[in-house]
Amino acid sequence: MHDLNGKVALVTGAASGIGRAIAEAYAKAGARVAVADIAAEKAEEAAKAMGSRAIGLAMDVTDEAQVDEGFARTARELGPVDILVSNAGIQIISPLADLAFADWKRMLAIHLDGAFLTARAAMRQMIDTGRGGSIILMGSAHSHVASKFKAPYVTAKHGLLGLARTIAKEGAPSGIRANVICPGFVRTPLVEKQIPEQANELGISEDEVVRTVMLRDTVDGEFTTLEDIADTALFLAGFNSNALTGQSLLVSHGWHMQ
């Protein structure tokens, strides 16, 4: 199931963090990988480190033309996409009453518009080839629960569940599967940035944020790791049956259970 030889994968937000870990895992499993990121130079550097079967793409996932050109270039240089991981995302910490409308719109655009645009482009290629494929949206434990000071993030991550389920229903006749990975807290730069921000909002120490907010409800007091998420993405990419579609997989050390 972890053999991706002959497959083409495109991963967004793949120059660092979770996206890079997934792209690297796919490359090691034999896939040809398009490393897409708004940071073009970092995407190129990451792709170079993955070997000759990877390319770096400059892609702002909120820009329709950039998304479509990125998929077109991938098809030209690597082949049509079999696997999409829509992972690009940001975080803004703010009480709802203080949240700027521009920040609300920016968050939803990156997480939801980006998932729509990349999923649409992937579906078009998957339908044209007749091979189907796997679309993976990067949700969060916040796809199922809420936390203070994260209104647009929680809203967007909940929305990804509906998008994936719709893709699953529309894509099934063409062999296209869609699922959502829902990590707990992974100690990426995105999460590191949140620790002092939440400490400031809550009036507690950074250590208390980690212990009493981020990891309080886990079963073992441990962060989810990049490897945990990459292994889950490998599993979903290699699962070739509609038996597993339209689902959300929580990878959170029990932080949220369902």
Side-chain angles (χ1 to χ4, degrees):
M1 194 172 287
H2 289 176
D3 180 2
L4 299 182
N5 276 295
K7 301 291 187 181
V8 175
L10 188 150
V11 184
T12 69
S16 62
I18 288 174
R20 180 161 182 167
I22 292 171
E24 289 174 340
Y26 285 172
K28 288 176 183 176
R32 300 187 295 279
V33 181
V35 177
D37 202 282
I38 196 168
E41 289 186 5
K42 291 182 179 180
E44 293 282 359
E45 291 169 5
K48 187 175 181 180
M50 294 175 205
S52 60
R53 297 198 299 174
I55 61 172
L57 300 175
M59 185 182 290
D60 176 348
V61 297
T62 69
D63 185 313
E64 182 177 14
Q66 279 195 36
V67 170
D68 289 343
E69 172 51 30
F71 274 82
R73 183 185 162 199
T74 300
R76 289 193 304 269
E77 298 187 22
L78 302 179
V81 168
D82 302 290
I83 303 157
L84 164 68
V85 181
S86 176
N87 167 74
I90 62 168
Q91 179 62 280
I92 295 171
I93 302 297
S94 172
L96 183 61
D98 299 331
L99 183 67
F101 188 32
D103 286 339
W104 169 271
K105 289 189 288 186
R106 180 170 172 239
M107 284 283 290
L108 266 61
I110 292 170
H111 290 271
L112 286 178
D113 294 355
F116 159 69
L117 288 171
T118 54
R120 185 183 68 178
M123 289 183 76
R124 287 171 173 172
Q125 291 190 3
M126 292 171 181
I127 291 168
D128 285 347
T129 64
R131 297 197 304 258
S134 178
I135 292 176
I136 300 167
L137 308 183
M138 191 57 62
S140 164
H142 284 103
S143 296
H144 298 276
V145 297
S147 291
K148 294 191 293 185
F149 313 131
K150 297 182 179 180
Y153 184 83
V154 171
T155 300
K157 293 303 188 184
H158 273 66
L160 291 177
L161 299 179
L163 177 59
R165 290 164 183 164
T166 303
I167 294 168
K169 286 185 176 290
E170 293 189 13
S174 300
I176 299 170
R177 301 166 303 286
N179 293 286
V180 185
I181 297 177
C182 297
F185 284 100
V186 183
R187 201 140 195 180
T188 62
L190 192 70
V191 168
E192 292 287 357
K193 180 176 177 289
Q194 291 179 53
I195 295 173
E197 290 174 340
Q198 292 212 39
N200 181 61
E201 291 291 349
L202 294 169
I204 59 178
S205 71
E206 292 184 17
D207 181 64
E208 286 177 299
V209 170
V210 172
R211 289 186 296 102
T212 68
V213 177
M214 292 183 169
L215 303 182
R216 180 188 64 192
D217 294 326
T218 63
V219 297
D220 52 12
E222 297 288 339
F223 280 96
T224 303
T225 67
L226 293 174
E227 292 75 19
D228 293 331
I229 306 306
D231 284 347
T232 306
L234 265 175
F235 169 72
L236 289 174
F239 196 96
N240 291 318
S241 163
N242 279 336
L244 182 55
T245 192
Q247 304 303 313
S248 63
L249 277 69
L250 280 146
V251 190
S252 65
H253 286 251
W255 182 64
H256 179 68
M257 301 181 186
Q258 64 173 21

